[in-house]
Amino acid sequence: MLKKVNIVILILIIHTPNLLSDWVFDNFVEVQSKKSKVIKFNSNYYVLENDNNSIILTEHSKDKIETSIIDKKYDDHFCDFDIDTNRIVYNGFNYISYYDYEAKKLTNKINNVNKPLGNIEIIGDDLYSYSSDLSNMACFNDTKTMVNITNTNNWNQQLFCFPDPNGIDLSSFVPSKIIAILNNLIVVQDVSNYRIKFYDFDYNYVDSIEHYPLEWKQYEGEIPKYNCDPEIMVHIEKCWSIIENYSKIDLINTLNDSTLLVTWRNINTSNQIRKFTYYHDILKKIDNKWEIGRDYFLQFNDTTDCFTLNRLNIKANYYIKKGYLYIIKPFPINLVKKYHGKKYSDFEDEMNNFYIVNDLQYTCFIFKYMP
């Protein structure tokens, strides 16, 4: 239950079309699939992948690339991982696993008792796993918006449940990430409205943002509820008319202690062709006021420019960890190196020829957020 607190939530929003920020290209690394996960930590790049029920770790340092199997019998669904000074933590639907990468051994595997919580972050001695989404496994819970904190000293787990955001029944349209952690607050983003709510871990509702851009197309009707039918496609079909005609929030991520990135979309019709248009907004708190601006770097859509690695049409196919943005594309890494700085159209032609005789290859592009 939420506590009633006698506070006044002052919502001051300044719309700043050109909110100063930049993304700086950092590096690119080869990965096995679009489901691979990459994290930069202490100047090295760590790639974690599930390959034939084994967890594979590849470390890219300045001098070498080293690959090892860290979990030979992984019978779970690999979701996410994080890293700190001496360990890698990765999770699935059933387990949270801890790997000491200095000693190079798996040190602990505990039951993920409050499953499935797909996102994880190491903060001090605690591991935060959290989710707010719709799935067959979560639909029977009273709330689908949960944060589980595991103390890594005694392995005790504590579960926090928060009110579900409006429109959560539309979150089955992946990709979707509508929950984040910012300065020890839980940030929950509505799906069908451009509204963000902030809670502390005493369940107090402490702040909010409400913003509707000019391009936003609001749905005013009732959203069908998912009734835990094993065939989730039945529910998706009921909701499709909403998705293809109105705006929807896809992702919310923390960039630093005062900044959020929100990705949303709506449908546009051009030349009788209906397609999604994606928008990326930077929300930054300055002097207790939220400033909101469009991130035009991520908005880039023109593929006639030079292939300079600093312009990629990412839509909502990205993730963010520790202030870095990761985009996995089906681009062969040797072609990426060859055509860096040349025309994108030349690169695309060569890539089409490459895939006539080769299997898919993937490259992860890494960018650093510079406020």
Side-chain angles (χ1 to χ4, degrees):
M1 297 291 293
L2 289 178
K3 295 182 179 180
K4 293 184 178 179
V5 289
N6 295 321
I7 63 172
V8 176
I9 301 174
L10 182 61
I11 309 172
L12 294 174
I13 298 176
I14 300 176
H15 185 263
T16 309
N18 295 308
L19 186 65
L20 293 178
S21 64
D22 199 7
W23 292 96
V24 177
F25 173 71
D26 180 78
N27 206 347
F28 50 82
V29 297
E30 186 175 11
V31 297
Q32 291 185 10
S33 77
K34 62 182 180 180
K35 295 182 179 180
S36 303
K37 291 285 187 177
V38 182
I39 293 180
K40 183 180 182 182
F41 185 72
N42 286 346
S43 300
N44 292 341
Y45 303 88
Y46 298 85
V47 183
L48 216 63
E49 298 166 308
N50 187 357
D51 183 17
N52 294 323
N53 295 326
S54 294
I55 297 297
I56 310 296
L57 171 67
T58 303
E59 180 180 352
H60 296 252
S61 62
K62 183 178 180 180
D63 301 322
K64 63 181 180 179
I65 299 175
E66 185 176 349
T67 299
S68 58
I69 300 176
I70 65 175
D71 197 338
K72 295 182 179 180
K73 296 181 180 180
Y74 189 72
D75 59 350
D76 204 354
H77 180 82
F78 172 53
C79 295
D80 195 10
F81 87 104
D82 201 1
I83 187 170
D84 66 1
T85 54
N86 60 2
R87 63 191 164 179
I88 291 173
V89 183
Y90 55 96
N91 73 327
F93 288 161
N94 299 304
Y95 304 106
I96 302 173
S97 303
Y98 296 78
Y99 177 79
D100 187 325
Y101 65 81
E102 292 185 348
K104 297 190 181 303
K105 64 178 182 179
L106 196 63
T107 58
N108 202 0
K109 180 179 286 190
I110 63 174
N111 287 329
N112 192 2
V113 295
N114 301 301
K115 58 186 179 183
L117 302 176
N119 310 289
I120 60 174
E121 289 184 42
I122 301 172
I123 303 177
D125 291 330
D126 294 325
L127 175 72
Y128 290 70
S129 52
Y130 55 95
S131 285
S132 178
D133 56 24
L134 196 67
S135 69
N136 290 339
M137 299 178 69
C139 70
F140 290 103
N141 298 328
D142 292 336
T143 177
K144 303 167 188 63
T145 305
M146 297 179 286
V147 180
N148 187 69
I149 302 178
T150 302
N151 185 295
T152 57
N153 294 317
N154 54 27
W155 307 110
N156 289 336
Q157 298 186 50
Q158 187 176 7
L159 180 67
F160 297 85
C161 299
F162 297 91
D164 288 333
N166 289 338
I168 191 172
D169 294 273
L170 298 177
S171 66
S172 55
F173 293 83
V174 293
S176 180
K177 180 180 178 293
I178 51 176
I179 184 173
I181 299 175
L182 178 71
N183 286 333
N184 207 36
L185 296 177
I186 298 302
V187 185
V188 181
Q189 166 75 66
D190 283 355
V191 180
S192 55
N193 306 299
Y194 203 125
R195 182 167 55 222
I196 304 170
K197 298 178 181 178
F198 298 77
Y199 303 93
D200 63 21
F201 282 95
D202 290 324
Y203 298 105
N204 297 317
Y205 173 38
V206 297
D207 200 357
S208 68
I209 302 171
E210 189 162 1
H211 170 63
Y212 292 96
L214 293 176
E215 305 93 340
W216 183 271
K217 300 176 182 178
Q218 180 65 38
Y219 178 67
E220 301 291 353
E222 183 176 350
I223 296 172
K225 299 296 183 183
Y226 177 49
N227 62 358
C228 298
D229 190 313
E231 299 295 332
I232 196 169
M233 286 302 300
V234 174
H235 170 72
I236 291 176
E237 289 173 0
K238 293 179 181 178
C239 296
W240 182 246
S241 63
I242 302 173
I243 295 298
E244 69 172 358
N245 289 290
Y246 297 93
S247 298
K248 170 186 175 294
I249 299 290
D250 279 331
L251 304 170
I252 185 168
N253 282 281
T254 301
L255 297 180
N256 57 35
D257 290 343
S258 62
T259 311
L260 298 167
L261 173 66
V262 173
T263 293
W264 59 278
R265 59 174 161 164
N266 61 21
I267 194 77
N268 282 334
T269 302
S270 177
N271 297 325
Q272 305 302 315
I273 299 175
R274 298 171 66 81
K275 64 178 182 177
F276 289 120
T277 298
Y278 290 83
Y279 301 90
H280 309 276
D281 294 342
I282 295 286
L283 290 74
K284 186 175 182 63
K285 198 165 192 178
I286 302 175
D287 297 330
N288 208 36
K289 298 183 290 290
W290 284 102
E291 296 191 9
I292 301 177
R294 184 64 43 79
D295 193 322
Y296 289 101
F297 170 81
L298 300 179
Q299 193 64 31
F300 185 84
N301 289 306
D302 185 5
T303 59
T304 63
D305 199 358
C306 289
F307 185 49
T308 59
L309 299 182
N310 64 353
R311 287 292 187 268
L312 293 172
N313 183 10
I314 70 170
K315 299 182 179 179
N317 300 305
Y318 69 87
Y319 65 95
I320 290 175
K321 285 279 191 181
K322 303 181 185 302
Y324 286 84
L325 179 144
Y326 302 86
I327 310 164
I328 295 178
K329 290 280 192 176
F331 295 166
I333 196 165
N334 288 335
L335 293 186
V336 170
K337 295 176 181 178
K338 178 180 178 181
Y339 283 90
H340 181 204
K342 300 181 181 180
K343 288 185 178 180
Y344 188 94
S345 57
D346 293 341
F347 165 77
E348 196 171 46
D349 289 342
E350 185 69 17
M351 186 172 63
N352 290 335
N353 293 332
F354 176 89
Y355 279 133
I356 293 175
V357 294
N358 293 280
D359 294 331
L360 278 176
Q361 296 181 18
Y362 294 89
T363 298
C364 180
F365 298 87
I366 304 164
F367 296 85
K368 181 177 176 60
Y369 175 70
M370 303 295 291

